[in-house]
Amino acid sequence: QVQLVESGGGLVQAGDPLKLSCTASGRTFSSLAMGWFRQAPGKEREFLGGDNRGGGSTYYADSVKGRFAISRDSAKNTVYLHMGYLKPEDTAVYYCAASRCVGLCTGYEYWGQGTQVTVSS
């Protein structure tokens, strides 16, 4: 079993950056592929981006490509979502997820509890 704990959410101004963290436990971090999602009120969950096992490659949804970036610190078992130039429409609950998949993940087995990001105009 894998436990994921997100942190770093909060209220920010439009145009500000924000970094979210997700710390994993319960399984060797290098054996996990990590992903980030968000869900705004009244909307479906949206995939933002992910990496492969070990974090050697990253990929992003077109909606955030160039503005969001994923990195990981293996020593801390933590993956980060770096968000730049936030917009009010980025307001959502942000979730990290983990999978034992190899390559591009089509699903994630483990989920964090989510962290709220609110962007004011």
Side-chain angles (χ1 to χ4, degrees), residues 36 38 46-49 60-68 84-85 87 89-90 94:
W36 284 96
R38 68 184 178 189
E46 176 188 13
F47 171 76
L48 301 176
Y60 302 94
D62 288 343
S63 60
V64 300
K65 193 176 296 182
R67 199 162 58 92
F68 289 9
Y85 199 78
K87 308 172 185 178
E89 51 264 43
D90 293 318
Y94 284 70

Side-chain angles (χ1 to χ4, degrees), residues 1-53:
Q1 190 72 354
V2 175
Q3 293 79 42
L4 303 172
V5 179
E6 300 103 332
S7 61
L11 174 64
V12 297
Q13 298 282 337
D16 286 348
L18 190 66
K19 184 177 74 174
L20 303 182
S21 302
C22 173
T23 300
S25 61
R27 191 176 179 93
T28 303
F29 192 54
S30 60
S31 70
L32 296 172
M34 305 299 293
W36 284 96
F37 294 76
R38 68 184 178 189
Q39 188 165 22
K43 294 188 177 181
E44 295 187 354
R45 187 172 60 197
E46 176 188 13
F47 171 76
L48 301 176
D51 66 11
N52 64 340
R53 279 187 173 188

Side-chain angles (χ1 to χ4, degrees), residues 19 22-25 29 72-80:
K19 184 177 74 174
C22 173
T23 300
S25 61
F29 192 54
R72 63 164 74 187
D73 184 338
S74 297
K76 296 181 179 180
N77 287 357
T78 298
V79 64
Y80 302 99

